[in-house]
Amino acid sequence: MALASIFEKVVGGDANIAFMAYDGSKAGPDGADVRIEVKSPIAVAYLAQAPGELGLARAYVSGHIDVHGDMYSLLDRMWNITTNDLTLSEKVDAVRALGVKPLLMRVPPPPQEMRQSTLAKLGSRHAKQRDAEAIHHHYDVSNRFYEWVLGPSMAYTCAVFPSEDASLEEAQYAKFDLVAKKLDLKPGMRLLDVGCGWGGMVMHAARHYGVKALGVTLSKQQAEWAQKAIAEAGLSDLAEVRHMDYRDVTEGNFDAVSSIGLTEHIGKDQLPGYFSFLYGKLKAGGRILNHCITRPTGIEKTINKGGFINRYVFPDGELESVGYLIRQMEDTGFEIRHEENLREHYAKTLKFWCDNLDDNWEDALQEVGPGTARVWRLYMAGCIVGFERNKVQLHQVLGVKLDNEGNSGVPLRPSIDWP
């Protein structure tokens, strides 16, 4: 069996993908708009060590496999890659075709891969030092790189598209404004934004609603960028971003709390403490808006420690179903007032980010290196497919801390058009 044909078997023969290999072999349709090039025996070694998704990812990130054509189209077509589809005779033929050397070759994973052993040295899952390292791994890449990918808003969370033809900037503004309206922000209020990123929500609340807003992030680069942006916008009297763990915030009696894209990093076992901490930071009648990626049901695995996303993108990340999150909020004391799924919006957001990365690809290679740039191209394109196919979702949940008499302070009907 030719080498290109082996990879075609792994990926799927009906995917309309062409294959080329360093041994001169070819497979797949000649006119395919997407081509995979196997460039060296190391790619074969990666696949032998970790069949399927992880092996292919390692080979691509390290540059021993190249993709010619649109990455999203490739991943959409090969969604269900698995070596388990090969028959026993096909596996024997594959071994013979590969030869012994690539199968015995021991090659380390690319340096962009976060080892579980490295994290374990920093304490148990979601210990403060370990969380700080996990956040550093993904978010302290390069502010310039993030500016290219995310655009002027520097919002690294799902946007809300008011129309099909809305721009990314319009959609990110709409997202922050939707959060502000759900929280019923008014001048003079105090907002705590946990996991604030580059300060987008903090600045939006201060600039458009006259709110005194405090944001906290574990990323030093994010905090430095945000504080500079706040000063340049003339918002220093209202807005502040600190480089710190949300658990170390000492102030309390906030009117509102926003958590946009943080819950994914908290961990299932820590969720009761997380919501309890935020509940304690609110005054009676205060509202919380929790915006995060979720699993579509409670059946799937909460975490795949050996998968590409956990090793390369979000170490220690954990996703729960929205039902589970709501139960934790209710058990903490929050009354749930509104919930919505923005799954399709995240697919659209990611498409913009992928286009931005492609438009700045050569600069990105120089800024963060080929390995990191390839991780981003692969993970973002894969996430588009995940959201489109309902493998992951994005939910906003609005809760309120009732006063001692059970009053919510929520009007009989909201003043904004919630779907």
Side-chain angles (χ1 to χ4, degrees), residues 267-284:
K268 183 176 184 178
D269 293 343
Q270 285 69 40
L271 285 173
Y274 163 73
F275 285 119
S276 179
F277 182 86
L278 299 181
Y279 185 88
K281 291 299 174 183
L282 282 168
K283 62 174 58 174

Side-chain angles (χ1 to χ4, degrees), residues 385-406:
V385 182
F387 282 105
E388 287 181 341
R389 292 176 178 249
N390 195 33
K391 300 301 180 182
V392 279
Q393 299 178 347
L394 189 290
H395 286 265
Q396 285 191 352
V397 180
L398 178 67
V400 62
K401 180 178 180 177
L402 304 176
D403 66 18
N404 291 334
E405 285 72 44

Side-chain angles (χ1 to χ4, degrees), residues 57-267:
R58 284 173 171 171
Y60 173 71
V61 170
S62 61
H64 296 286
I65 282 181
D66 262 342
V67 174
H68 304 278
D70 181 57
M71 179 64 76
Y72 163 76
S73 297
L74 169 67
L75 297 180
D76 187 46
R77 294 175 194 176
M78 55 182 277
W79 179 252
N80 294 315
I81 59 171
T82 173
T83 55
N84 293 329
D85 292 335
L86 296 180
T87 66
L88 178 60
S89 63
E90 287 173 332
K91 290 180 180 179
V92 171
D93 289 342
V95 170
R96 289 173 178 167
L98 292 173
V100 176
K101 186 176 179 180
L103 296 176
L104 298 179
M105 186 186 304
R106 303 304 299 175
V107 290
Q112 290 76 22
E113 183 170 317
M114 174 63 76
R115 306 286 192 90
Q116 284 296 314
S117 58
T118 301
L119 289 173
K121 294 176 183 178
L122 300 175
S124 59
R125 181 177 287 272
H126 300 297
K128 286 184 178 180
Q129 186 179 1
R130 180 162 166 167
D131 276 353
E133 179 58 29
I135 294 301
H136 167 73
H137 173 81
H138 185 71
Y139 293 94
D140 287 341
V141 174
S142 158
N143 282 335
R144 181 176 297 175
F145 175 79
Y146 276 107
E147 287 171 356
W148 290 328
V149 174
L150 304 181
S153 72
M154 286 296 279
Y156 187 30
T157 48
C158 174
V160 175
F161 289 82
S163 63
E164 284 289 340
D165 59 352
S167 69
L168 178 61
E169 291 309 303
E170 290 170 337
Q172 290 293 10
Y173 179 96
K175 183 266 299 297
F176 288 131
D177 214 50
L178 179 63
V179 172
K181 289 176 178 176
K182 286 182 176 180
L183 291 173
D184 197 27
L185 296 183
K186 293 182 174 62
M189 283 185 169
R190 295 172 64 239
L191 168 71
L192 172 63
D193 185 36
V194 292
C196 68
W198 289 270
M201 184 65 212
V202 168
M203 287 188 280
H204 188 93
R207 178 184 288 117
H208 299 286
Y209 289 85
V211 169
K212 189 170 182 61
L214 169 63
V216 294
T217 173
L218 279 175
S219 167
K220 183 179 180 181
Q221 289 188 22
Q222 286 182 337
E224 291 174 348
W225 191 98
Q227 279 297 97
K228 184 174 183 288
I230 288 169
E232 291 175 349
L235 297 171
S236 297
D237 58 331
L238 289 175
E240 178 187 2
V241 168
R242 298 176 189 167
H243 175 219
M244 68 186 301
D245 194 297
Y246 79 92
R247 291 165 286 194
D248 294 330
V249 174
T250 57
E251 296 95 331
N253 213 35
F254 288 93
D255 296 281
V257 169
S258 54
S259 176
I260 307 174
L262 174 62
T263 314
E264 300 91 329
H265 300 288
I266 297 299

Side-chain angles (χ1 to χ4, degrees), residues 320-332:
E320 302 302 330
S321 69
V322 67
Y324 186 85
L325 294 173
I326 288 176
R327 173 54 58 83
Q328 298 305 311
M329 293 177 70
E330 289 176 329
D331 289 351
T332 298

Side-chain angles (χ1 to χ4, degrees), residues 244-354:
M244 68 186 301
D245 194 297
Y246 79 92
R247 291 165 286 194
D248 294 330
V249 174
T250 57
E251 296 95 331
N253 213 35
F254 288 93
D255 296 281
V257 169
S258 54
S259 176
I260 307 174
L262 174 62
T263 314
E264 300 91 329
H265 300 288
I266 297 299
K268 183 176 184 178
D269 293 343
Q270 285 69 40
L271 285 173
Y274 163 73
F275 285 119
S276 179
F277 182 86
L278 299 181
Y279 185 88
K281 291 299 174 183
L282 282 168
K283 62 174 58 174
R287 299 185 186 185
I288 180 174
L289 191 286
N290 200 80
H291 166 126
C292 72
I293 302 171
T294 67
R295 294 184 285 144
T297 74
I299 299 173
E300 308 89 359
K301 284 184 179 180
T302 179
I303 183 172
N304 180 8
K305 295 180 182 179
F308 168 74
I309 290 291
N310 193 258
R311 288 173 179 259
Y312 284 86
V313 186
F314 297 115
D316 284 350
E318 297 183 49
L319 301 182
E320 302 302 330
S321 69
V322 67
Y324 186 85
L325 294 173
I326 288 176
R327 173 54 58 83
Q328 298 305 311
M329 293 177 70
E330 289 176 329
D331 289 351
T332 298
F334 288 112
E335 181 182 50
I336 305 303
R337 303 298 304 207
H338 188 264
E339 185 281 324
E340 66 174 311
N341 185 358
L342 298 170
R343 174 171 67 86
E344 294 87 353
H345 292 262
Y346 217 157
K348 287 179 66 68
T349 303
L350 284 154
K351 286 179 180 177
F352 275 99
W353 292 344
C354 285

